[in-house]
Amino acid sequence: MIKWGILGLGNIAKKFASDLELVPTATLHAVASRDLTKANEFAHENNASKAFGTYQQLFEDKEVAVIYIATPHNNHAELSIQAMTHGKHVLCEKPLGVNEKEVRAMVAASKNNKVFLMEGLWSRFNPTIRKVKNLIDKKEIGSLNHIYADFAFYGLNREENGRLLNPTMAGGSLLDIGIYPVFLAYLFLGKPETILAKSNFHSTGVEIQTSIIFHYKNAQAILYSGLNSTTQTIAEFSGTEGSILIPSRWHEAQGYELKKENESSFFSMPRIGLGFTYEIQEVQQCILKNKTESELWNHQNSIDLAQLLDSIRKEVGVIFPFEE
């Protein structure tokens, strides 16, 4: 049984804890918040053995093997490094770091302390997305030459000092949800030759709408994220001999549609729980094998993704106050 800790107890942590219970070899041992009352409530609701009112107490708990970090983006690097310095394995919610510099520091901490580190890009481990990648790698739709992926929801009704709209917390659509379409293009086509991007901004200074084109030698990816609108939230892969569609909401996929020669077939692949179980299982398998990184989403993948997000931010002019 692998004992987990959760640090940062917001909505994403609640979903993660719910799925953790579905993994028979995992148990939620301890949770931590800067608010002890909140920690106690979360522990009670999610069957955790311990609740701490400081992060340091969680780092020092000798029974916790791995910590899931689910705080706002701007704290990911600092807290992950602290956890690894205490000998804890880390699954950190995406984005791993706010920029490439942070990600590289986190990877260095993993290597120096000989502990596992992975970015919590749960979609990478989704069975549908793994299946679609396998099909495309085998040229099921011929040569891939176009990807379309979007992700948007109406987030302007949130508090302006909350994580989505606050630049000091690395807010905006790109790092929160735009990372999903960017990750998808990278997963299937690699790093592009050139990047074009345009953004619109909120009064707080964060970008709330970003359109991106990744240009490759023989392909293009059209990507979009937004907080001032909704979209279909689909992913479509087009090749020389057919196409594959992952319907809404593609990042938590439960099946795909294959179109070839004027015929269409839908393949249902219901996920377990909310979808976090697959990355939890991957983390545990890697830890049991004494690995410091996953082969499915390794440290270099996270560095590459950070570089792409940095390039997009440079293109549209996004610099967070703590980076200046």
Side-chain angles (χ1 to χ4, degrees), residues 94-258:
K94 56 79 196 160
L96 190 60
V98 168
N99 51 44
E100 181 189 354
K101 181 181 178 181
E102 287 192 353
V103 172
R104 287 192 179 276
M106 297 164 80
V107 168
S110 168
K111 296 186 187 305
N112 292 339
N113 294 286
K114 297 180 173 59
V115 292
F116 179 82
L117 169 69
M118 191 176 83
E119 184 172 18
L121 261 170
W122 64 325
S123 300
R124 174 64 183 97
F125 309 96
N126 179 288
T128 295
I129 291 174
R130 291 183 67 173
K131 176 65 175 179
V132 170
K133 178 156 174 53
N134 181 257
L135 290 171
I136 289 175
D137 286 348
K138 293 195 302 182
K139 304 290 186 180
E140 182 67 26
I141 59 170
S143 297
L144 180 65
N145 51 34
H146 179 260
I147 292 176
Y148 172 84
D150 61 31
F151 194 162
F153 63 87
Y154 195 77
L156 299 187
N157 53 356
R158 309 290 181 92
E159 292 183 2
E160 290 193 345
N161 61 352
R163 66 176 187 85
L164 269 185
L165 301 178
N166 188 342
T168 65
M169 298 173 78
S173 79
L174 183 63
L175 296 191
D176 196 68
I177 53 178
I179 188 173
Y180 286 106
V182 171
F183 140 78
L184 198 71
Y186 167 73
L187 180 66
F188 283 84
L189 289 171
K191 296 177 78 173
E193 293 183 356
T194 55
I195 296 173
L196 302 174
K198 288 289 184 181
S199 294
N200 283 323
F201 293 81
H202 189 55
S203 58
T204 60
V206 301
E207 55 76 34
I208 53 169
Q209 187 176 41
T210 297
S211 294
I212 307 158
I213 298 175
F214 279 6
H215 179 75
Y216 303 83
K217 184 178 179 181
N218 296 306
Q220 289 187 344
I222 313 300
L223 315 170
Y224 175 81
S225 66
L227 298 174
N228 61 350
S229 61
T230 58
T231 59
Q232 295 183 77
T233 316
I234 60 171
E236 187 168 25
F237 307 85
S238 300
T240 53
E241 298 173 21
S243 66
I244 295 175
L245 172 72
I246 304 179
S248 187
R249 297 181 343 146
W250 71 262
H251 69 293
E252 50 186 18
Q254 299 200 75
Y256 64 95
E257 182 181 9
L258 175 64

Side-chain angles (χ1 to χ4, degrees), residues 56 100 279 308 322:
Q56 188 66 25
E100 181 189 354
E279 70 172 0
L308 291 172
F322 53 83

